[in-house]
Each structure stands twice: as C-alpha cells, then as structure tokens.
Amino acid sequence: MTTPPRPTIYDVAREASVAASTVSRAYARPGRVNAETAQRIFRAAELIGYRPSRAGDTQPAGRIAHRAVGLVIADVTNPFYGDIIKGAYQAAREADYHLILTHTNESPEVERSSIERELGHVDGLVIASSRMTDSALRMVAKQKPVVLLNRIIPEASCVVTDIHRGVRLATEHLAALGHRRILYVAGPETSWSDGMRWRALQETTAGLELDVRRIGPYEPTVLAGLSAARRVTRTGATALLAYNDPLAIGVMKGLGKLGLSVPAQISVVGFDNIMFDELVEPALTTIASPLYRMGFTGVQNCIAIAQGAHTSGAPLVLPVRLVPRRSTARATSGNHLPSAGARGVQ
C-alpha cells in the first residue's frame, strides 16, 4: 500500500490562494506577513494536514510548540462564561489544539499564580474578564501570546463587546419608558467592564438629562443581588441597570421578598443575555453579547499569534443588541420605591 505524499508549502499556497513564498514567510518571518493572510495560511495548513519539518519554524525562535492554549476564566459557575467556553473549545478543536481551562474564583492572586503555573505548558493564553492589574497582564504578554476578552491593554490582542453602545441602548430604552432616575448596581471593583459600564452610563445619562446613582461593588452573583435589594429600595430609583444578569436576577428576587413588584415599581435591566433570563419571572430585559463568537475568536487569534501572526493592535469590538422582556415597563405614579436616605447612597 502506497503512503500518500506529505502536503507541501505549495499545497498550502494553493489552498490559501497565495504564493508559496508567502507561505514560507508566514512560517519563517511572520512579521513580514499581515495577520489576516497569516491566519488564512495557517487555517489552510491545518485543513490539508501540513506540518512544517523540524527545520521549519511555526513558533518564534526558542519557543516549544505544545499545541495547547490556556483559557483563564474568572468563575466557571457564572453562566456568562458558558458560551465563551464552548466557542473557545470549538476553535481549539478545529485547529487540533488542546484547551486547558483554569478557574480563578474572581481572585487576581489566584489568577496570577494559575497563569504562572500554566506558562510552561501552553503556546498562548486567552484570559477572560481578567481581575489582574494592567502591569501584571503586561508581564504575562511579554512571555506568551495573550488574547484578552473583556479587557483592553495595548500590549495584547483584545476582544471586547461594544460596552458604550450596550449602555446607551439600555438607557435609551428606559428613558423612552419615561424613567428619569436610574440606578447602577455595580459589579466587582477589579472588573474592567464594570468601570467602563459605569463611565458609559454617566456619559449617556448626562446627555439625556437623567439622574443616575450607583451602589456597590457587588460580586456578580444572584446571592449578591439578593443582598443588594434592600439598599436598592433606599435610592428612590424607578429603574436600574445591573452589572450582569445574575446580579439583576438576584435583585429582582430580593425585591420580591421585600414585597415589591418588578416592573410595576421598578424596571430592571441586566447584561449578557444568559440562558436563565427567560426562565425567571418576570423575564429579564438585557443587553445580549455574542459570547460564543468571543470565545471562538479569542482562541483562533491566540493560535494565529502563537504561530507567528502579528495583530493590527486595535481591539476587536463585537456588536451588542437590546433584548426587551417583561422586567421593564413604562414609568407611572406606581413606579416609586421608598427613598429615605437616597442622597447618601454610594
């Protein structure tokens, strides 16, 4: 039985519709090939089963190829990460890479120590919603290819959702329903997304001449939302925007336990469109993000960088959309919560 010939760079070139010299440069001198072309070449190589000889070089000099990518997640129990993990797994599978999942329990210290242990075993890292400082992330990016999800630093490839548009869509939705006093229920203090959402909300409400206040920080969980409910009642707000959906769901449940009605007395909006949003009562109005695409793109880009591709430097911003459900309604005279001490709420 004759063994089929191994694919060559000419086969890759034909599959990727580029010159053989471009394929050669993509492996030997990646800085001379733009990122989009390099990714097309590496995908073509994977498709036809091409593997460079040991004399070839799909990695920067001195780097050992493990064919593994690490995915670092702040909290695997948070439904937000489910579709990110699915997308990441699919991208790794298509590239014939292993995906190593790490859970950091919302702790920057655990995140840092976990990453330090992983560095010698992966070709690159995808870090979702990092709680580490910018300087700590820069140090990691100097050692391995890094793609950040929901975070932006110039030294790494970044994939984010359009936070400003999401906040604007939510705020304009509430304003159109007649709400003039909006509360933000903040997430973790170490969350980059939380800071960006609060800043975007301040800018948007100022432009619409709305009153906005903030309480928190809170952990991004249902239990934290339950504990925040009583504080919500002291703000006098007629609508609230929560850092994420679990926090919003917890607030709704907590208000119900206090005998208050959503949306009759206060409208509630979350972020991320997790699968539980339609299962709670009332169903939660939210901002939907393409989380599967985020995970897939993050791993795909990480592999391309590990194989020598260079990024444009600009973050990839994914679109968002408003998903209106029954947790928001028109403001009426009934939309009023006790407001004792509201001015002191921070």
Side-chain angles (χ1 to χ4, degrees), residues 38-56:
Q39 286 187 46
R40 191 164 79 248
I41 289 168
F42 297 141
R43 282 197 298 267
E46 294 291 342
L47 182 65
I48 67 174
Y50 172 74
R51 295 290 182 271
S53 65
R54 290 190 180 276

PDB file of all heavy atoms in Angstrom, residues 38-56:
ATOM      1  N   ALA A  38      -1.783  35.609   7.305  1.00  0.00           N
ATOM      2  CA  ALA A  38      -1.159  34.538   8.082  1.00  0.00           C
ATOM      3  C   ALA A  38      -2.201  33.577   8.637  1.00  0.00           C
ATOM      4  O   ALA A  38      -2.030  32.348   8.568  1.00  0.00           O
ATOM      5  CB  ALA A  38      -0.338  35.135   9.217  1.00  0.00           C
ATOM      6  N   GLN A  39      -3.304  34.117   9.151  1.00  0.00           N
ATOM      7  CA  GLN A  39      -4.362  33.248   9.678  1.00  0.00           C
ATOM      8  C   GLN A  39      -4.932  32.373   8.577  1.00  0.00           C
ATOM      9  O   GLN A  39      -5.210  31.190   8.800  1.00  0.00           O
ATOM     10  CB  GLN A  39      -5.470  34.101  10.311  1.00  0.00           C
ATOM     11  CG  GLN A  39      -5.079  34.702  11.649  1.00  0.00           C
ATOM     12  CD  GLN A  39      -6.251  35.389  12.322  1.00  0.00           C
ATOM     13  OE1 GLN A  39      -7.351  34.841  12.390  1.00  0.00           O
ATOM     14  NE2 GLN A  39      -6.035  36.594  12.815  1.00  0.00           N
ATOM     15  N   ARG A  40      -5.110  32.936   7.373  1.00  0.00           N
ATOM     16  CA  ARG A  40      -5.630  32.147   6.244  1.00  0.00           C
ATOM     17  C   ARG A  40      -4.670  31.021   5.882  1.00  0.00           C
ATOM     18  O   ARG A  40      -5.085  29.892   5.602  1.00  0.00           O
ATOM     19  CB  ARG A  40      -5.880  33.064   5.051  1.00  0.00           C
ATOM     20  CG  ARG A  40      -6.664  32.378   3.941  1.00  0.00           C
ATOM     21  CD  ARG A  40      -7.243  33.365   2.946  1.00  0.00           C
ATOM     22  NE  ARG A  40      -6.240  33.825   1.989  1.00  0.00           N
ATOM     23  CZ  ARG A  40      -5.763  35.055   1.934  1.00  0.00           C
ATOM     24  NH1 ARG A  40      -6.175  35.974   2.809  1.00  0.00           N
ATOM     25  NH2 ARG A  40      -4.867  35.406   1.023  1.00  0.00           N
ATOM     26  N   ILE A  41      -3.381  31.321   5.911  1.00  0.00           N
ATOM     27  CA  ILE A  41      -2.378  30.303   5.599  1.00  0.00           C
ATOM     28  C   ILE A  41      -2.375  29.193   6.644  1.00  0.00           C
ATOM     29  O   ILE A  41      -2.368  28.003   6.303  1.00  0.00           O
ATOM     30  CB  ILE A  41      -0.981  30.962   5.507  1.00  0.00           C
ATOM     31  CG1 ILE A  41      -0.886  31.817   4.234  1.00  0.00           C
ATOM     32  CG2 ILE A  41       0.129  29.917   5.527  1.00  0.00           C
ATOM     33  CD1 ILE A  41       0.321  32.717   4.185  1.00  0.00           C
ATOM     34  N   PHE A  42      -2.424  29.565   7.927  1.00  0.00           N
ATOM     35  CA  PHE A  42      -2.387  28.547   8.982  1.00  0.00           C
ATOM     36  C   PHE A  42      -3.647  27.691   8.979  1.00  0.00           C
ATOM     37  O   PHE A  42      -3.599  26.488   9.247  1.00  0.00           O
ATOM     38  CB  PHE A  42      -2.179  29.218  10.346  1.00  0.00           C
ATOM     39  CG  PHE A  42      -0.867  29.947  10.477  1.00  0.00           C
ATOM     40  CD1 PHE A  42      -0.794  31.169  11.139  1.00  0.00           C
ATOM     41  CD2 PHE A  42       0.292  29.429   9.925  1.00  0.00           C
ATOM     42  CE1 PHE A  42       0.404  31.849  11.255  1.00  0.00           C
ATOM     43  CE2 PHE A  42       1.501  30.098  10.033  1.00  0.00           C
ATOM     44  CZ  PHE A  42       1.562  31.306  10.696  1.00  0.00           C
ATOM     45  N   ARG A  43      -4.801  28.324   8.655  1.00  0.00           N
ATOM     46  CA  ARG A  43      -6.038  27.534   8.555  1.00  0.00           C
ATOM     47  C   ARG A  43      -5.948  26.545   7.397  1.00  0.00           C
ATOM     48  O   ARG A  43      -6.387  25.395   7.508  1.00  0.00           O
ATOM     49  CB  ARG A  43      -7.243  28.462   8.392  1.00  0.00           C
ATOM     50  CG  ARG A  43      -7.706  29.135   9.675  1.00  0.00           C
ATOM     51  CD  ARG A  43      -9.123  29.699   9.542  1.00  0.00           C
ATOM     52  NE  ARG A  43      -9.184  30.732   8.521  1.00  0.00           N
ATOM     53  CZ  ARG A  43      -9.039  32.032   8.772  1.00  0.00           C
ATOM     54  NH1 ARG A  43      -8.788  32.435  10.003  1.00  0.00           N
ATOM     55  NH2 ARG A  43      -9.134  32.914   7.804  1.00  0.00           N
ATOM     56  N   ALA A  44      -5.390  27.003   6.265  1.00  0.00           N
ATOM     57  CA  ALA A  44      -5.236  26.117   5.110  1.00  0.00           C
ATOM     58  C   ALA A  44      -4.306  24.959   5.446  1.00  0.00           C
ATOM     59  O   ALA A  44      -4.560  23.807   5.067  1.00  0.00           O
ATOM     60  CB  ALA A  44      -4.698  26.911   3.918  1.00  0.00           C
ATOM     61  N   ALA A  45      -3.222  25.244   6.157  1.00  0.00           N
ATOM     62  CA  ALA A  45      -2.271  24.205   6.547  1.00  0.00           C
ATOM     63  C   ALA A  45      -2.939  23.157   7.431  1.00  0.00           C
ATOM     64  O   ALA A  45      -2.735  21.944   7.248  1.00  0.00           O
ATOM     65  CB  ALA A  45      -1.082  24.836   7.266  1.00  0.00           C
ATOM     66  N   GLU A  46      -3.736  23.634   8.399  1.00  0.00           N
ATOM     67  CA  GLU A  46      -4.453  22.696   9.264  1.00  0.00           C
ATOM     68  C   GLU A  46      -5.436  21.851   8.463  1.00  0.00           C
ATOM     69  O   GLU A  46      -5.582  20.649   8.694  1.00  0.00           O
ATOM     70  CB  GLU A  46      -5.195  23.470  10.364  1.00  0.00           C
ATOM     71  CG  GLU A  46      -4.301  24.184  11.357  1.00  0.00           C
ATOM     72  CD  GLU A  46      -3.539  23.221  12.249  1.00  0.00           C
ATOM     73  OE1 GLU A  46      -3.938  22.044  12.334  1.00  0.00           O
ATOM     74  OE2 GLU A  46      -2.537  23.654  12.842  1.00  0.00           O
ATOM     75  N   LEU A  47      -6.095  22.488   7.501  1.00  0.00           N
ATOM     76  CA  LEU A  47      -7.118  21.791   6.716  1.00  0.00           C
ATOM     77  C   LEU A  47      -6.533  20.634   5.914  1.00  0.00           C
ATOM     78  O   LEU A  47      -7.123  19.557   5.844  1.00  0.00           O
ATOM     79  CB  LEU A  47      -7.810  22.793   5.789  1.00  0.00           C
ATOM     80  CG  LEU A  47      -8.950  22.247   4.919  1.00  0.00           C
ATOM     81  CD1 LEU A  47     -10.107  21.798   5.807  1.00  0.00           C
ATOM     82  CD2 LEU A  47      -9.422  23.310   3.938  1.00  0.00           C
ATOM     83  N   ILE A  48      -5.369  20.831   5.321  1.00  0.00           N
ATOM     84  CA  ILE A  48      -4.799  19.780   4.462  1.00  0.00           C
ATOM     85  C   ILE A  48      -3.797  18.903   5.208  1.00  0.00           C
ATOM     86  O   ILE A  48      -3.234  17.965   4.636  1.00  0.00           O
ATOM     87  CB  ILE A  48      -4.127  20.382   3.217  1.00  0.00           C
ATOM     88  CG1 ILE A  48      -2.883  21.203   3.591  1.00  0.00           C
ATOM     89  CG2 ILE A  48      -5.116  21.220   2.415  1.00  0.00           C
ATOM     90  CD1 ILE A  48      -2.110  21.700   2.383  1.00  0.00           C
ATOM     91  N   GLY A  49      -3.573  19.219   6.495  1.00  0.00           N
ATOM     92  CA  GLY A  49      -2.689  18.370   7.291  1.00  0.00           C
ATOM     93  C   GLY A  49      -1.220  18.674   7.123  1.00  0.00           C
ATOM     94  O   GLY A  49      -0.367  17.816   7.380  1.00  0.00           O
ATOM     95  N   TYR A  50      -0.882  19.875   6.701  1.00  0.00           N
ATOM     96  CA  TYR A  50       0.522  20.245   6.536  1.00  0.00           C
ATOM     97  C   TYR A  50       1.173  20.494   7.881  1.00  0.00           C
ATOM     98  O   TYR A  50       0.624  21.161   8.744  1.00  0.00           O
ATOM     99  CB  TYR A  50       0.635  21.520   5.685  1.00  0.00           C
ATOM    100  CG  TYR A  50       2.032  22.089   5.629  1.00  0.00           C
ATOM    101  CD1 TYR A  50       3.019  21.472   4.867  1.00  0.00           C
ATOM    102  CD2 TYR A  50       2.365  23.231   6.353  1.00  0.00           C
ATOM    103  CE1 TYR A  50       4.311  21.986   4.818  1.00  0.00           C
ATOM    104  CE2 TYR A  50       3.651  23.759   6.307  1.00  0.00           C
ATOM    105  CZ  TYR A  50       4.631  23.135   5.543  1.00  0.00           C
ATOM    106  OH  TYR A  50       5.893  23.651   5.492  1.00  0.00           O
ATOM    107  N   ARG A  51       2.359  19.922   8.077  1.00  0.00           N
ATOM    108  CA  ARG A  51       3.164  20.171   9.272  1.00  0.00           C
ATOM    109  C   ARG A  51       4.568  20.531   8.829  1.00  0.00           C
ATOM    110  O   ARG A  51       5.189  19.770   8.084  1.00  0.00           O
ATOM    111  CB  ARG A  51       3.226  18.923  10.177  1.00  0.00           C
ATOM    112  CG  ARG A  51       1.884  18.514  10.779  1.00  0.00           C
ATOM    113  CD  ARG A  51       1.433  19.515  11.828  1.00  0.00           C
ATOM    114  NE  ARG A  51       0.185  19.104  12.445  1.00  0.00           N
ATOM    115  CZ  ARG A  51      -1.019  19.427  11.988  1.00  0.00           C
ATOM    116  NH1 ARG A  51      -1.128  20.157  10.899  1.00  0.00           N
ATOM    117  NH2 ARG A  51      -2.103  19.021  12.602  1.00  0.00           N
ATOM    118  N   PRO A  52       5.095  21.682   9.269  1.00  0.00           N
ATOM    119  CA  PRO A  52       6.461  22.042   8.890  1.00  0.00           C
ATOM    120  C   PRO A  52       7.450  21.022   9.423  1.00  0.00           C
ATOM    121  O   PRO A  52       7.203  20.381  10.450  1.00  0.00           O
ATOM    122  CB  PRO A  52       6.684  23.394   9.566  1.00  0.00           C
ATOM    123  CG  PRO A  52       5.334  23.865   9.974  1.00  0.00           C
ATOM    124  CD  PRO A  52       4.485  22.653  10.163  1.00  0.00           C
ATOM    125  N   SER A  53       8.550  20.864   8.734  1.00  0.00           N
ATOM    126  CA  SER A  53       9.614  19.991   9.228  1.00  0.00           C
ATOM    127  C   SER A  53      10.242  20.651  10.449  1.00  0.00           C
ATOM    128  O   SER A  53      10.034  21.828  10.725  1.00  0.00           O
ATOM    129  CB  SER A  53      10.673  19.790   8.150  1.00  0.00           C
ATOM    130  OG  SER A  53      11.317  21.029   7.874  1.00  0.00           O
ATOM    131  N   ARG A  54      11.053  19.890  11.167  1.00  0.00           N
ATOM    132  CA  ARG A  54      11.698  20.453  12.361  1.00  0.00           C
ATOM    133  C   ARG A  54      12.612  21.619  12.007  1.00  0.00           C
ATOM    134  O   ARG A  54      12.883  22.463  12.829  1.00  0.00           O
ATOM    135  CB  ARG A  54      12.495  19.369  13.102  1.00  0.00           C
ATOM    136  CG  ARG A  54      11.583  18.357  13.763  1.00  0.00           C
ATOM    137  CD  ARG A  54      12.356  17.442  14.682  1.00  0.00           C
ATOM    138  NE  ARG A  54      11.476  16.478  15.311  1.00  0.00           N
ATOM    139  CZ  ARG A  54      10.779  16.706  16.400  1.00  0.00           C
ATOM    140  NH1 ARG A  54      10.856  17.882  16.971  1.00  0.00           N
ATOM    141  NH2 ARG A  54       9.999  15.786  16.910  1.00  0.00           N
ATOM    142  N   ALA A  55      13.080  21.623  10.765  1.00  0.00           N
ATOM    143  CA  ALA A  55      13.895  22.757  10.349  1.00  0.00           C
ATOM    144  C   ALA A  55      13.041  23.981  10.130  1.00  0.00           C
ATOM    145  O   ALA A  55      13.500  25.101  10.190  1.00  0.00           O
ATOM    146  CB  ALA A  55      14.644  22.420   9.061  1.00  0.00           C
ATOM    147  N   GLY A  56      11.720  23.751   9.875  1.00  0.00           N
ATOM    148  CA  GLY A  56      10.791  24.858   9.724  1.00  0.00           C
ATOM    149  C   GLY A  56      10.519  25.474  11.080  1.00  0.00           C
ATOM    150  O   GLY A  56      10.968  25.004  12.105  1.00  0.00           O
TER     151      GLY A  56
END
